Amino acid sequence: MDRTRCAIFSTTLKASPVSPAASLLERYQQVRQTTDRLCSPLAPEDCVIQSMPDASPIRWHLAHTTWFFETFVLKPAIAGYEPFDPAFEYLFNSYYNQVGEQFPRSQRGLLSRPLMSDVHRYRQAIDQQMVELLAGLDSSSTELLSIVELGLQHEQQHQELMLTDVKHLFSCNPLWPVYESREPLSPRPAAAIDWLPGSEGVREIGYAGDGFHYDNEGPRHEALLQSHEIASRPVTNAEYLEFIDAGGYQRPELWLSLGWSVVQADRWNAPLYWQQVNGEWHQFTLAGLVPVDRNEPVCHVSYFEADAYARWAGCRLPSEAEWERMTIDQQVPITGNFVESGRYHPAPAPSIGEGSLQQAYGDVWEWTSSPYTPYPGYAPPPGAIGEYNGKFMCNQYVLRGGSCATSQSHIRPTYRNFFPPEARWQFTGIRLAR
Amino acid sequence: MDRTRCAIFSTTLKASPVSPAASLLERYQQVRQTTDRLCSPLAPEDCVIQSMPDASPIRWHLAHTTWFFETFVLKPAIAGYEPFDPAFEYLFNSYYNQVGEQFPRSQRGLLSRPLMSDVHRYRQAIDQQMVELLAGLDSSSTELLSIVELGLQHEQQHQELMLTDVKHLFSCNPLWPVYESREPLSPRPAAAIDWLPGSEGVREIGYAGDGFHYDNEGPRHEALLQSHEIASRPVTNAEYLEFIDAGGYQRPELWLSLGWSVVQADRWNAPLYWQQVNGEWHQFTLAGLVPVDRNEPVCHVSYFEADAYARWAGCRLPSEAEWERMTIDQQVPITGNFVESGRYHPAPAPSIGEGSLQQAYGDVWEWTSSPYTPYPGYAPPPGAIGEYNGKFMCNQYVLRGGSCATSQSHIRPTYRNFFPPEARWQFTGIRLAR
Amino acid sequence: MDRTRCAIFSTTLKASPVSPAASLLERYQQVRQTTDRLCSPLAPEDCVIQSMPDASPIRWHLAHTTWFFETFVLKPAIAGYEPFDPAFEYLFNSYYNQVGEQFPRSQRGLLSRPLMSDVHRYRQAIDQQMVELLAGLDSSSTELLSIVELGLQHEQQHQELMLTDVKHLFSCNPLWPVYESREPLSPRPAAAIDWLPGSEGVREIGYAGDGFHYDNEGPRHEALLQSHEIASRPVTNAEYLEFIDAGGYQRPELWLSLGWSVVQADRWNAPLYWQQVNGEWHQFTLAGLVPVDRNEPVCHVSYFEADAYARWAGCRLPSEAEWERMTIDQQVPITGNFVESGRYHPAPAPSIGEGSLQQAYGDVWEWTSSPYTPYPGYAPPPGAIGEYNGKFMCNQYVLRGGSCATSQSHIRPTYRNFFPPEARWQFTGIRLAR
Amino acid sequence: MDRTRCAIFSTTLKASPVSPAASLLERYQQVRQTTDRLCSPLAPEDCVIQSMPDASPIRWHLAHTTWFFETFVLKPAIAGYEPFDPAFEYLFNSYYNQVGEQFPRSQRGLLSRPLMSDVHRYRQAIDQQMVELLAGLDSSSTELLSIVELGLQHEQQHQELMLTDVKHLFSCNPLWPVYESREPLSPRPAAAIDWLPGSEGVREIGYAGDGFHYDNEGPRHEALLQSHEIASRPVTNAEYLEFIDAGGYQRPELWLSLGWSVVQADRWNAPLYWQQVNGEWHQFTLAGLVPVDRNEPVCHVSYFEADAYARWAGCRLPSEAEWERMTIDQQVPITGNFVESGRYHPAPAPSIGEGSLQQAYGDVWEWTSSPYTPYPGYAPPPGAIGEYNGKFMCNQYVLRGGSCATSQSHIRPTYRNFFPPEARWQFTGIRLAR
C-alpha cells in the first residue's frame, strides 16, 4: 500500500483569502527547492533502489510529485497540453485508479530509467510551466489554487518519505553510509514526566476553519472523552532500555497477539536500526551509526512496541481525540525539531516549565490507540484526486504531531497520519497516557 | 491466530444466585451433549483434517474444550490431580502462554493420534470427574462455578467453530459431502427494508448486570451516538446479486485498498462457497450444494465485501454502539434462527410488523464498522485464563448478533465477536446503516 | 511430483510362458492382500492426512492402486463397463494427463471422503471383477495379462510408499505412535569394509530377458566402466556418526552448493528422524522412538548427505552401471531384509565370507552418482500408460537395490528407482566406491 | 547460486611456454578494457539494480572481478599488502567460503554504495598494482601467472553475465531502454538442416594439452558414443514458431514433468523476452524491442523448452560427448558471432557448404542432454580458488559452444558451461540430434 495519501482539502478554502496566487507561487518555489535540497547529498545510485516493498526509490518520489502537478494542474488547466512523456503517466501514478493503470509498486526498484538527469529535466520543465501558470492566475481561480496547494502538501509528505526511505536503504549497507553528518548536541538530561490532566466529556475535534487540511481531518464533530492524563513528554531511550532489560521482548503477556507473532518471526529485540556494537547499543541514523543517546525520545518503534511498552509501564497510549484536545486546550505552539533543523533525528526534550506539553510537534510521530477510521459524516471527495485518505482506513493506527522529518508548515493539531501497526521505518515514538 | 477467545466473566457473578451448582451441573451435561450431537454425523476421517490455517480439526475442538475443564477446573480443585494424559497439556493448549508451550496451530492437521475413540474416552473421563465435582459443590464455591460457566461458554464458541470448520473442509471436496440434509423452506419473499431511527447523544453501552459475560463486553460506559438510521433486516442474496451484476467486484473505487488487493489476489467474484453451475449461482451448505435462495440473508462475506456493498448502496455499516443501542432500545427478543433449529443456514426474514428490527439475533453475524478495541477502562483479568480477549484487539472488526450456528443461550445484546476483515468462513452477513 | 512411476513393461512379455493367467490370479490376490495387511495397524484417522506435499494419504494409495486396475484393465476389457463411482476417475488419477484432469496432488489431504469404508468397498468390488476376469482368461490374452502384472508391480511400489508416508506422518506427532512393535535384534557388530574390484571396459547393462521390467530399465546397451572398487557393505550409523562428530554438517567444502543451501535452510544436522534425547542420538522408526543402533546401515539420508559423506571419507558413490555390473558379476542372490520380514527397518549386515557384496538388496536403497537419464535408444511407450518413467528424467538421481520396505518379488539387478537429491523420507542409504 | 564458476586451470600450464609474463600483461590490459567498454553505454543508475536473484548488479560484476585479482594475486604476491578497502572483502566475495563470509547474494541490489566512481577508482588502483606486478615477473612465476590467467578468464565470464544481466534489467522497464543500437542485417534465409553422422564407439573427450582450461574439462577420458547424427545448424525462430503454433506450450505429453510445472506456474508461452505487439511476435534485445527474425537461431529458451521442442520434432538433444567429438572430428574453427562483433544477438546462419557443422561456436549456447557431472577421475583443486566447478555439479545441464555474448578467446571445444534446466536469461538455443 502506498503510505502517502493525496487528499483533497476542504472546499471551504475556495472562499479563502489565505493563499492568493502570488504567495502560492513563492511557496511553490520554496517547496520544490526543498525537495532538491534533500536530494543534494545523494548520488544517482542512491536514487533508484527500492530497499523494501514499503519504500520507494528517491527517483520515484521526485517524478511522482512532479507527475501530480502535471496530471492534476497542468493537464486540466492548459488546453491541448502535451505531456512531457506519455510513459510517465503510467510509471509515476501511485494508486489513482481513476487516472489509469499503475506500474506495480513492488517493482519500482526495477527501473534504472528514466535517469536522474531525465527526471531533473522533467521537474524543470514542469516547474517552468507551473510558474508561468501561477504567475498568470489571480485569487479567483480558487479551484486550481486549491489543487496546487494540495500538490505542495503532497510533496511535503514525500519529502518526509524520502528521508525515511533513504535511511532504510542506507541501513541495509554494511558501509553505513552517511546522508549528512551533524554536530552532536550537548548532553541534556530529560526531565521527569509530568502527568497533565485532559479535558473530559463531550468535546469537539477535527478541523475547523478556512486553511488547508486533508479530507480525513473532518468533519469537525463531537467526541466523548473519559477522564485521563497525558505524559508531558515522549518516552526516552533510557526508559525504553529499561523495558528491554526487563525482558520486554521475551514476555508474550505484554504484547498483542499479532505483535507477538511479528516479534518472534522477525526476531525483534530492540527498535529498528538498533544494534549492539561491543556490548553497547548503537543506532543507525542519517548521520551514520552512533551510540544510543539515553535522553532522546525513543524512535522507530512500531505500534506493537508502543502498546507493549505502555502495558509494561502500567499505562496506555492516548486516543487521537485526547491528543488533539490536549494540544488545543494547552495552546501548544507548532514549534520544535522539524526537518528544517537539518538534524533529521529526534532531540532530547528542551527544559520547559512544568505542566506543559513538550515535543508534541516534531521529533517523533506519536502512536495513538485509535484505529484509523472515518470521522462521523466523512465522505471522500469525488474524482481521482479523492483517492484519497478513505480507502486506507483499515488495519492502521493514527499518529499525531509530526517528526524531525516533517516540514513545520505541514503539521497541524488535527493532522492524522496513519501506518499499520508493524511499521517501524518512520520516525515513530511513544507518548503515554493513563 | 485462534479465533476462539476464552475470557473470564465478571467477578460480579460471584455474588449471583443465577447459577447454583445444581443447575450448572444440568447445564454442563446439556452443553457437553450438544457437542457430541454435533459430531454425530461425522466419521473419524472428518475429524482430523485441518483444511486451512484458520480452521482446526474437529478432534482438536473436542479435546481442547475438554482440556479447558481439566486444566482450569479439575487441576486446581482436586488435590493431587493426575492428568488424563500429560501429553495432552501440550497438544491441546490453544494459546495460553501462561499454561506452557503449545503445539503449533498450523500443524494441528498433522496429528492422526490420539484417535477419536481416545478423545471420546478423554471426554468421558473428564465428564465423570466434573459431574462428581459439581455434585459436591454448593453455590458458595463461586469462583469454581464461574470457571465452569466460562468453560461452557467456551465450548459453545467451539461448537460454532466446529460447524464452520466442517463446512470449510467439506467445501474442498468435489464430492460435496452432506453434513446433514434439511427440508427446503417454503418460498418467503423478503420484505422491503424499513429505516429505523437510532437514538442519539450520549448513551450507555456495555454489559451491566450479574449474569455471565466476557471481559471485553465491559466496563459499561458512555458512548456518543450521532444521528442515524439502521435497516430493519440484513441484506439479501437478491440485493447482493445486484451488486455483483453491477460489477461490484471489478470496481476498485468501491473497496478499501486492502480489500481490493485481496479481491485481486484471491480472485473473489462472489461470497465464499458460491459458484456457478450451468450459469446459475449455487452455494455450498452443510446440506450440500444448492441454488442460491434470493430471499436469504447474504452470508460468508468478509468485512471488505460488507463495506464495499454498503458504499455501493450509498450507505454504511452501523457502529457497534449503534447496533447495541438499537437492539436494547427496541427490546429485541433473543429469538431467531440459531443452531438449535438444526438448519445450519440463514433463513429468509420472517414477516414482522413494520418498524421493528428483524433477524438481529441468529442467521448471520453482522459486521459493524467498529474496529475491535478495548472499552474505556478495560483491563484483562490476571492469570492464564485472562488470555483472553484483550490480546486480539488489533486489525479485527466487531460483529454482533450471533448466527445460525450460535447457541441461543450464548448470545447477548452486548456480545462482541470479532474477526479480521478478510475472514469469510464464519456465517457473516451485512446490515446497513445511514 | 508423484514419486511412483507406472510404466509399461516390455512387449517381449507377450510371447512369454512365465505368467499364465492362473498364476497371475494367485499373485493378484497375494499382492492385494498384502496391501490390506499393511493397512491393518492403521485407524481411519491415520489414513486421510497428507503430512507433506511429497507424501500421500494412505486412503489415496488404496484407492489409486484400485483405480489403476479399474481404468486400465476393467474398463478396456469389459464392454459397457460401469465405473464404481465416476468421481473417482478424477479423484484418484495421479498424473495421467491422457486419462483426464487430476485432483491436485497437494490437496489430497483435504479429502475426508470417500471414507475408508467406502474405499474398502471399492477395493472389494474391483477385486471381485478382477478375479472373475482373470479366471476367464487364458495365457493368450497377453496384453491384458501384461497390464495386470504392471498393476501389481505398481501396487507394490505404493506399498513401499504407504510405509514411508505413514512413517513421516507419525514422526510429526509428539506422541510417537507405533505402527508395529518389533523384537530387538541381538547385537551384531558390522564387519570391516572389503573393497571389491569392479569389472572394467565396455560392458552391457540394462534389462535383458522375457520377464517383467519397467521401460526405463532398457534398452540393454553397452556402458564404459572405469577401473573402480565397491564397498562390500553400506555405511553404518557408527561410521556416519564419525562424520557428524567431525563437523560434517558445518563444513561447506564437503557439500554440493545446492546441498549446502538445504543444510542451512532446513538446519539439517543428522539424518531425517534422528534426534537427541538426553544427549543420546535416537531415531524414530515404525516401532517408535529408539536409540540409534551403531551397526545398522545409516538410513534416511539424502543424496546430498550421501555425496558429502563420501567426499569426507575420500571416496565417491558408485555409478549405476558399476552397481549393476557388480551385482551381476558377483551373482548376488536377491535375498535380504525386505518388507516380508515385517521389520520395516534396516538391519546390521549378516556376517558373510569376505569378498562378497552384502546387503545389495533390501535394507536401504543405495544412492548412485548417476543422474536419472534415459538409456540410449529409450523411448516411452505410447498412450496413457506410458506416462511413465520418462517424464521424470530431470533433477533426480538413481537408487538401486530396494529397501526393507520393498517386496522381494519387486526388485531386480536392473531396477532403477529415482528421487530428487534432497529427498530423505525413503529408506535411503550409502554404499561407497572408489 | 552464482552462475559464474571460478575454477583453477590445469597445473600442466605450469610448465607451459604459452603465456609468458609479457603477453599476459598485454592480455590483462585488453580484457580489463573490454569490461570498461561494455560499461560505457550504462549510467550509474543502470549499475546498481539487481533485477532478479539470478542476476547481479553491474557494479557488483565490476568490483567482484577486481576483488578476484586483489584477493588471489596481489594479496599473496605482495608482502604486507594493504587492501584497498577492507569492507570489499566481504561485499564482493561471491561464494568462496574459504576466504570468509559473503554478503548475501540476494541482497546485492540493496547496495547503492560504493558508488560507481568508487568502483572505478578501485579498478584503477588494482590495475596499477597488477601492471606493476606483471611487469616485474618473468615466465618462471608460473603459479602466479596461472592465477592471473584464471582471473582473466573469470572476468570474461562476468563480461558475458554483464550483458545478460543488463538485458534482463532493461527488459523489466516499459520504456524498453536501448543498450546499444545496431544495424539490421540483410535478410538471409536459413539453409535446410543437414544431418551429420557422428563418430561411434569408444572415443576420447576432455581437455588435452598445455593451454588454459577449467578443471571441469578434464581429465581427458574415454567415452562410449552410440550411433547418431547431429543437425548442421541450430533451430531457427521460424522452426520454433511452428512448435508454438502447434500448441507446444499446451501439450503436457511433450514436456518433462518438472518443465510442465514451470510452464504452468510461470505461464510460459514463448521464449523469454518474446511478446506479441499487435498480433506480431517481437523480442526484446539489447538494441530494443524488435520483430522476431525468422531466420535467427531461437534464443533464450530453457532446457525444458529445448527438450520439449526436440521431442516434438521427433529428435533429441546431443550429449556433450557427441557435441565435442563432432566439433573436433570436423575440425570446426572457433569463429563466428561472438561478443567482439558488437551485435549482442544471434545472427542467421551463414551459407556454408553442405555437410559442415555451422554456428557451433558463438550465437547461442547449445543445450546438451548431459547432466553436469564430474568426468571420471575428476577432483577439484585444493584451496579457496578450487571453489570451483565441482560444487555446482547437481541439477544442471551442460551447454556448449559459447554465444554472441562470449569472447572468442574464451571458448574451446571442451568448454563446459552449465545452467539449471529452467534458466532462460542466457543466450541459450537448441541444436538437434537423432
Side-chain angles (χ1 to χ4, degrees), chain B residues 45-46 109 112-113 116 173, chain C residues 45-46 49 112-113 116 173:
Chain B
E45 291 93 327
D46 299 323
S112 61
R113 312 290 178 96
M116 282 296 284
N173 194 323
Chain C
E45 291 93 326
D46 299 323
I49 296 178
S112 61
R113 312 291 177 94
M116 281 297 282
N173 195 323

Side-chain angles (χ1 to χ4, degrees), chain B residues 344-425:
Chain B
Y344 312 131
H345 195 71
S351 292
I352 303 187
E354 289 189 358
S356 72
L357 197 68
Q358 297 176 45
Q359 297 179 292
Y361 297 108
D363 288 306
V364 289
W365 287 101
E366 300 175 12
W367 286 107
T368 73
S369 65
S370 302
Y372 177 49
T373 57
Y375 283 163
Y378 167 81
I385 213 164
E387 293 179 46
Y388 47 85
N389 284 299
K391 73 178 179 185
F392 300 115
M393 291 176 170
C394 180
N395 291 8
Q396 311 219 37
Y397 284 84
V398 173
L399 301 107
R400 293 297 192 111
S403 80
C404 56
T406 309
S407 286
Q408 186 165 12
S409 65
H410 185 67
I411 197 71
R412 289 171 297 282
T414 57
Y415 195 104
R416 306 173 81 195
N417 199 357
F418 50 88
F419 281 94
E422 69 276 13
R424 310 209 292 175
W425 94 111

Side-chain angles (χ1 to χ4, degrees), chain D residues 86 157 163 215 224-225 241 246 266 374:
Chain D
Q157 286 186 277
L163 289 170
D215 61 349
L224 182 60
L225 302 186
L241 276 163
D266 295 353

Side-chain angles (χ1 to χ4, degrees), chain B residues 41-46 48-51 87 90-91 103 109-117 169-170 172-175 177, chain C residues 41-46 48-51 87 90-91 103 109-117 169-170 172-175 177:
Chain B
L42 301 174
E45 291 93 327
D46 299 323
V48 292
I49 296 177
Q50 183 174 29
S51 61
Y90 167 65
L91 283 179
F103 188 74
L110 294 182
L111 303 177
S112 61
R113 312 290 178 96
L115 299 178
M116 282 296 284
S117 54
L169 169 66
F170 281 4
C172 301
N173 194 323
L175 300 176
Chain C
L42 301 175
E45 291 93 326
D46 299 323
V48 293
I49 296 178
Q50 182 174 30
S51 61
Y90 167 66
L91 283 179
F103 188 75
L110 295 182
L111 302 177
S112 61
R113 312 291 177 94
L115 300 176
M116 281 297 282
S117 53
L169 170 66
F170 281 5
C172 302
N173 195 323
L175 300 175

Side-chain angles (χ1 to χ4, degrees), chain B residues 26-350:
Chain B
E26 190 178 334
R27 183 161 147 68
Y28 178 88
Q29 289 171 313
Q30 180 266 321
V31 169
R32 298 283 284 176
Q33 283 160 11
T34 297
T35 302
D36 292 339
R37 185 172 49 73
L38 290 174
C39 279
S40 61
L42 301 174
E45 291 93 327
D46 299 323
C47 295
V48 292
I49 296 177
Q50 183 174 29
S51 61
M52 64 169 174
D54 280 339
S56 292
I58 296 302
R59 196 261 326 277
W60 195 91
H61 291 297
L62 294 178
H64 167 66
T65 48
T66 303
W67 167 92
F68 189 99
F69 288 110
E70 185 181 30
T71 303
F72 295 119
V73 178
L74 297 181
K75 206 183 259 184
I78 300 176
Y81 179 78
E82 286 286 323
F84 181 83
D85 185 328
F88 288 10
E89 195 158 291
Y90 167 65
L91 283 179
F92 299 120
N93 179 358
S94 53
Y95 55 73
Y96 294 84
N97 291 305
Q98 298 182 42
V99 172
E101 290 285 304
Q102 303 114 43
F103 188 74
R105 177 184 172 84
S106 61
Q107 297 174 23
R108 288 177 186 164
L110 294 182
L111 303 177
S112 61
R113 312 290 178 96
L115 299 178
M116 282 296 284
S117 54
D118 298 325
V119 169
H120 284 306
R121 284 194 303 112
Y122 180 39
R123 287 183 69 88
Q124 285 159 9
I126 300 303
D127 281 352
Q128 188 176 338
Q129 292 172 285
M130 283 294 295
V131 166
E132 284 170 17
L133 181 74
L134 288 172
L137 292 180
D138 60 27
S139 303
S140 66
S141 308
T142 48
E143 192 167 353
L144 212 55
L145 294 177
S146 294
I147 306 287
V148 173
E149 179 59 39
L150 177 58
L152 295 175
Q153 297 279 344
H154 171 252
E155 183 141 349
Q156 287 183 312
Q157 287 186 277
H158 279 279
Q159 288 166 1
E160 178 153 2
L161 291 174
M162 286 165 61
L163 288 170
T164 56
D165 291 358
V166 158
K167 184 169 181 177
H168 187 269
L169 169 66
F170 281 4
S171 78
C172 301
N173 194 323
L175 300 176
W176 309 125
V178 169
Y179 169 76
E180 215 166 84
S181 53
R182 61 177 156 86
E183 292 293 301
L185 294 177
S186 51
R188 194 199 288 168
I193 284 180
D194 281 333
W195 289 99
L196 312 178
S199 62
E200 204 177 328
V202 174
R203 292 288 184 281
E204 289 204 331
I205 64 164
Y207 191 83
D210 293 338
F212 175 87
H213 62 281
Y214 286 113
D215 60 349
N216 65 3
E217 298 171 52
R220 188 161 176 88
H221 64 284
E222 294 186 328
L224 183 59
L225 302 186
Q226 317 290 328
S227 165
H228 68 282
E229 295 177 322
I230 292 186
S232 57
R233 60 156 174 79
V235 171
T236 61
N237 285 328
E239 288 161 345
Y240 199 81
L241 277 162
E242 289 179 47
F243 169 73
I244 295 176
D245 293 342
Y249 284 94
Q250 286 84 47
R251 293 170 52 188
E253 73 273 17
L254 297 174
W255 295 80
L256 287 162
S257 179
L258 275 183
W260 182 243
S261 300
V262 177
V263 167
Q264 292 185 293
D266 295 353
R267 306 190 185 177
W268 284 359
N269 65 346
L272 183 63
Y273 301 139
W274 284 36
Q275 61 175 290
Q276 292 213 315
V277 179
N278 299 326
E280 197 189 355
W281 282 112
H282 283 62
Q283 61 182 324
F284 180 71
T285 72
L286 283 168
L289 189 67
V290 300
V292 165
D293 180 335
R294 299 173 55 84
N295 296 309
E296 289 170 4
V298 67
C299 191
H300 296 299
V301 290
S302 63
Y303 176 82
F304 291 133
E305 287 160 302
D307 171 78
Y309 177 85
R311 187 167 294 113
W312 172 78
C315 298
R316 62 173 176 84
L317 302 177
S319 71
E320 63 169 329
E322 291 167 349
W323 193 99
E324 182 171 324
R325 283 311 314 175
M326 176 66 78
T327 55
I328 288 175
D329 293 344
Q330 284 231 354
Q331 300 182 325
V332 179
I334 303 182
T335 56
N337 176 21
F338 292 108
V339 71
E340 288 82 356
S341 76
R343 179 173 163 82
Y344 312 131
H345 195 71

